[in-house]
Structures are given as structure tokens and as C-alpha cells.
Amino acid sequence: MKIYTKTGDKGQTALIGGRRVSKSDLRLDAYGTVDELNSWVGLVRDQPVNKDRREFLKEIQDRLFTIGSELATDPEKAPKRPMPAITSDDITLLEQAMDGMDAELPELRAFILPGGHQSVSFCHLARTVCRRAERIIITLNEQAFSSVENVDELVIQYVNRLSDYLFVLSRKMAQELDAEEVTWKPRTLSSY
């Protein structure tokens, strides 16, 4: 099977279901951003500090493929075969993982500046791409003209929870790497 098909050379692509849409369609922006997020999560997974979390991060990547396939499906046509779906258990697993890490972290009392170690920075980049994906998915959901076009609310919940997970993970990685967590100290007019 060839990778290139030339069917997108005029700026269109097919959704799952066959309908052709512009590559600038909001639906494509949504699942393209989820794909970008998946790549960042892969980079986070590959960091040596995450060797014990590799399988869990791989599961997250699998869920992101599930979300991408849902977003890539034409909402006006039923798929010919069953599609994977996000479940409430997927969200619960993220929450449990966060709770476990959070129990071992110092209490958060201020905003944290991203950074401190390259691996931690990668995780913060994944978190910000996750937030962008969430915004695009919510925009897609809000622009739906009929209930058949709405995004599954579990997808929205999962992406929201995933950004929280990535934040807690960045803190846990910083702790394990003995990297400094720099808190944001807002500048005031009196400091000039």
C-alpha cells in the first residue's frame, strides 16, 4: 500500500464515512491537534524518568487515537464497523493516576513556570497542546448545527482531565529529577 494517494493534492481529504472536506475544516484541525498531542505524549513517554510510566502513557496514546478516529468520523454517516470509544473508566484511570502522584508532591501554593529540566519542559509542551486540542474540540462541539454533530462529552472530559494529568505528571517528573520548580512571582507596579 502506498502512503501517497494524491487525493489530497487539491486541499481536501475524506472523513471516515467518505465525505470529502477541506483540509482547513475545524474537524480536521481538531483531530490534527490530537495527533500532534499524541506525538508530544510519545516524547514524554520516551523520557528515561518515565520508564515506570511507559505503559500508562502508551495507553493514553491509544485513547488519543480513539479520540482522533471519533473526530475523523463523518457525524452524518454511521461507520460501517464498530469504532472504539472513550469510556468513563478511561477518565477514572487518569484521576487515579493523578491522585497517586499528587499524594507524593508538595502542596501547590502558586503558579509554576514551565521548565526546570528538558524532560519536564516536554511534558509542559504536551499539556499546552492538550489545552489547545480541548479548545478546538469545544469549538467544534459548539458549532455543531444538530445533535448528530456534537462531540461525545466523554471525549471533552477526557481531554480536559488529560491536561490536568500532564500538569501533575510534570510536577512529579520535576520531583523525581530533582529539578527546581520555579513559582511565578507576579511583578507589581511597586517593583519598578
Side-chain angles (χ1 to χ4, degrees), residues 22 51 71 98 106 120 134 152 161 165 172:
S22 169
K51 66 180 175 11
L71 294 170
M98 277 188 282
V120 175
E134 180 183 20
D152 181 347
R161 211 67 86 251
Y165 168 82
K172 185 64 178 158

Side-chain angles (χ1 to χ4, degrees), residues 117-137:
H117 189 281
Q118 186 176 41
S119 295
V120 175
S121 295
F122 290 149
C123 196
H124 279 290
L125 282 164
R127 175 186 57 78
T128 61
V129 171
C130 190
R131 285 290 188 207
R132 178 164 31 99
E134 180 183 20
R135 291 190 301 272
I136 295 168
I137 291 167

